[in-house]
Amino acid sequence: MNSANGAAVVVGVDGSEPALAAARLAAQEAARRQRPLRVVHGFIWPLLRVPLTPSAEAPPGGGLRHQAEELVAAAVAEAEGAAPGLRVSGEIIDGEAAAVLLGESPTAALIVLGDRGLGGFAALVVGSVAIQVASYADCPVLVARGTPRPAGPVVVGVDGSGLSRAAVEFAAAEAAVRGARLHAVHAYTHPASAGPGDMQPLVYEESQLRGEEDRVLADALSGLAERRPEVPVTRQAVHGRPVAALTEASREAQLLVVGRRGRGELSGLLLGSVSQGVLHRADCPVAVVRAVE
């Protein structure tokens, strides 16, 4: 998380209902962090050379720029209603939505956006803007989806890599500020369930396998009790696919946290299959945290 003094929480809006839900969620997050909130709208029309002002025959108050101002004002009002007293500002920035939000990410404490926007296709559960921003942002990204819950644990997915270490630290901080329990989930599959062509032992010991997976989970949480003594922690090593296990855990959670790769990885793999899967299926807001190598 960007801890620079005054770093704002930024929410992207486009006038859709998911964007208004994101504005409400972003206001609550900003209030928890005691940070200001910036409501940002990516205004693409100047790039397309579309006239922005109404024609002479149009009624007063028309035009694309005026519409953008109205949708930002509506989102600001929604945020102010969700967190009275919060310092909220609105801004229209020329550019495509994902590019605008990615431009905000180096100095933002957190970027919040809805899972779908006005430009989404009905067949897509999560919009392309959410996927792009979650894949490339320099700060944590929170996608408003599922059922908002004021109670319940903060769930974090653990796989034993640098991805899950970054996710655990972020999730523990979230649990602390929310006064919530942290629930760490590590899902693993039976060796025989690996893909075709993988080398597998002819015989394996179930208890040995379970012990190894328990150690992965314990290692990921090592030292957390000393760093965050105020946060109660529960852990679960579950035999199954990670997306299915995390989706199930999300049904009782107020937040689900997963990691993503840093930019040293192959660009096409920045947002892994687990992160993408939970963005499509989780039943609570999802935070995607970049691992810093």
Side-chain angles (χ1 to χ4, degrees):
M1 181 186 302
N2 188 330
S3 58
N5 290 334
V9 171
V10 175
V11 59
V13 299
D14 63 1
S16 65
E17 179 50 43
L20 292 178
R24 294 190 293 269
L25 179 62
Q28 295 163 1
E29 295 300 320
R32 287 191 184 103
R33 291 165 168 77
Q34 298 183 330
R35 294 181 182 275
L37 175 65
R38 293 185 63 235
V39 176
V40 171
H41 172 64
F43 192 56
I44 196 171
W45 300 113
L47 279 63
L48 304 179
R49 302 184 182 278
V50 174
L52 307 181
T53 55
S55 65
E57 296 79 19
L64 293 171
R65 177 74 66 174
H66 180 74
Q67 291 176 15
E69 292 169 350
E70 287 189 325
L71 75 84
V72 169
V76 167
E78 199 80 13
E80 290 174 337
L86 181 68
R87 182 154 57 96
V88 184
S89 61
E91 186 173 1
I92 299 170
I93 301 176
D94 290 354
E96 187 272 331
V100 166
L101 292 172
L102 290 173
E104 294 287 313
S105 71
T107 56
L110 177 73
I111 287 181
V112 184
L113 67 168
D115 59 347
R116 292 177 51 77
L118 292 176
F121 293 94
L124 297 178
V125 180
V126 177
S128 61
V129 173
I131 294 293
Q132 289 179 64
V133 177
S135 296
Y136 294 100
D138 287 315
C139 67
V141 175
L142 179 60
V143 178
R145 61 166 293 107
T147 304
R149 296 184 186 92
V154 172
V155 173
V156 60
V158 171
D159 66 2
S161 70
L163 294 176
S164 57
R165 286 191 292 273
V168 165
E169 292 302 319
F170 180 88
E174 285 295 311
V177 78
R178 296 162 183 260
R181 170 172 57 94
L182 177 65
H183 183 56
V185 176
H186 172 54
Y188 64 94
T189 54
H190 192 293
S193 65
D198 288 345
M199 296 296 293
Q200 299 297 335
L202 295 177
V203 180
Y204 74 96
E205 177 62 46
E206 175 67 33
S207 61
Q208 180 182 350
L209 175 64
R210 180 57 181 261
E212 291 172 354
E213 303 302 337
D214 285 340
R215 282 191 291 276
V216 169
L217 188 50
D219 288 346
L221 301 173
S222 177
L224 187 61
E226 289 74 26
R227 296 191 301 275
R228 294 283 182 182
E230 75 279 21
V231 177
V233 179
T234 56
R235 61 185 69 182
Q236 179 184 19
V238 56
H239 183 266
R241 299 293 181 181
V243 172
L246 292 172
T247 299
E248 178 64 27
S250 76
R251 295 193 176 106
E252 302 295 330
Q254 58 177 293
L255 176 68
L256 172 60
V257 182
V258 292
R260 73 165 171 84
R261 293 169 177 80
R263 289 184 174 170
E265 303 288 344
L266 296 174
S267 60
L269 300 176
L270 276 169
L271 194 63
S273 59
V274 174
S275 301
Q276 289 208 42
V278 297
L279 280 176
H280 285 278
R281 296 177 178 87
D283 191 38
C284 69
V286 178
V288 180
V289 181
R290 177 191 171 200
V292 179
E293 303 295 340

